[in-house]
Amino acid sequence: MPADATATGVRHLYVTTPLYYVNGEPHLGSAYTILICDTVARFYRQRGYDTYFLTGTDEHGDKIAEAAAAAGEEPKAYADRISAIFRSTWEQSGLAYDRFIRTTDADHIRTVQEILQQVYDAGDIYFGSYGGLYCKGCERFYTEKELVDGKCPDHRTTPDFIAEDNYFFRMGKYQERLLTALAAKPDLVRPERYRNEVLAMLREPLEDLCISRPKSRLTWGIEMPFDDRFVTYVWFDALINYVTAVRSLGRERCDALWPAAQHFIAKDILKPHAIYWPTMLMAAGLPLYDHLNVHGYWTVDGQKMSKSLGNVVRPLDMQAKYGRDAFRYVLLRESVFGLDADFREDALVTRINADLANNVGNLVSRTLSMQHKYFAGAVQPLGEQRPEDAALAAAFAAAAREVDAQVAELMLSRALEAIFRAADHANKYIVETAPFTLARDPATKPRVGAILHNLLEALRSTAQLAAPFIPETATRIVELLNLPADALRVPGAAWGTAFPAGHVVRKPVPLFPRIEA
Ligand code: MSP
């Protein structure tokens, strides 16, 4: 669960994606992290939390300067162009973030320089010489021990030996405090496997961090405020974005949101987020984030996604082919937070047909068509609850509890399972109560009205529970039910109170047509 309520009684949640490098375009992996953030933000927003959701692009450093040069462009013009592609992809994907930050934004540059100056004044930044093995892909120095056969374990390239004078952050000084913080809050970094990785990193003495690059080698960065011969190391720059964004909201909201910060990343950038960032926060006298949530890596048909293999999955292509909600659903349903996942288009089609078309899609169309066939769309009195009606209501109540618990633990696929189990219960309820048979006899027609009323409640609950995961579908269901959009808020009306007798629902339209393989 996000941080506790403040004195005002309003609860807060601040979610962040990594700032994506502008040396490539959005793909399945970048889409996944932002989709998880979007879902979690929607979930708590729906429950009345003050939420703030941040994403953006990381634009400085060697890697971007090189990519710009390769494209024959100036770094800023190049970053403008690629950053705009990210932004437009996320907008076209319907992601509801509050700010798209760029590390080239003026307020960010100011915040980075303020923090650098503050840490420098406090004596935690010093000037020194250093020689080390530098991987440009990772934008960091490696120790011999971290290399595999002398190569960067991520990029499989041999790092360059670089020796130069630079500024260093006294990261080592904070090792004990970081260990204390990790012990005090066992799920600060979660799931646990990544906490264990961090603890393993901290078993070695923590070295100080080189946080500058001489302009003789790199000019594309934020200038060190106390020495204009240097620019800031890209990670020291980028991580601070999380603070820049909330500071821009004013003191009060910043103070409320910052302790409720939840960063979402994949395992590739665990070290900067679990070690550099908290020690930077300590040096800057700021509280730590609430959670660092670390997910696994997506492969495609069992292989690493790469341009050379030609298997890069583009979110906009998938959404154009299958629909936004179907794509969201499959990514969230086919992964367990923290573990690696494999994307296969055939599995996507199976999921869409089984869960979206056959289960929820069918429930919507059967219920609404019977409502129209037997009662011209007008809702009938609920009547006395029979055991099977109570069991249906109980199935949704149980799903609601399970969804809350699973989302709090980021087990989004389990939350979806719970929702679809309840919808499946409703489909079985139709078979069991057989309204189509009862409708033949005028004496049992009132019971048909009651059954359909229960089913409309099931649809309303399905939409309400599924809204953070498949928001467009939830909205369409509510529209078909002819209810106002706030029917999706939590908590909503109690079972049996959302539809007054005589309320007319709309005629069904297919939500998810079956996809032929
Ligand atoms: N710019 C840094 C982050 C700075 S944050 C202050 C960076 N950028 S990145 O463009 O390389 O993005 C890495 C992130 O993209 C991962 O942590 C993850 O969120 C996402 N993913 C990239 N490829 C991925 C997969 N194949 N699978 C899952 N997520 C992936 O690192």
Side-chain angles (χ1 to χ4, degrees), residues 210-243:
C210 176
I211 57 158
S212 66
R213 300 291 179 263
K215 282 190 182 166
S216 56
R217 181 153 76 76
L218 175 76
T219 53
W220 182 235
I222 298 178
E223 196 171 89
M224 292 301 243
F226 38 79
D227 190 338
D228 64 9
R229 297 169 304 154
F230 291 87
V231 296
T232 312
Y233 170 44
V234 63
W235 271 106
F236 203 94
D237 158 355
L239 288 162
I240 290 174
N241 91 86
Y242 301 133
V243 166

Side-chain angles (χ1 to χ4, degrees), residues 18-21 27 29 33 58 235 238 242 266 268-269 295-298:
L19 293 200
Y20 299 112
Y21 282 129
H27 54 67
T33 319
D58 187 354
W235 271 106
Y242 301 133
D268 56 334
I269 51 177
H295 65 73
Y297 241 59
W298 280 90

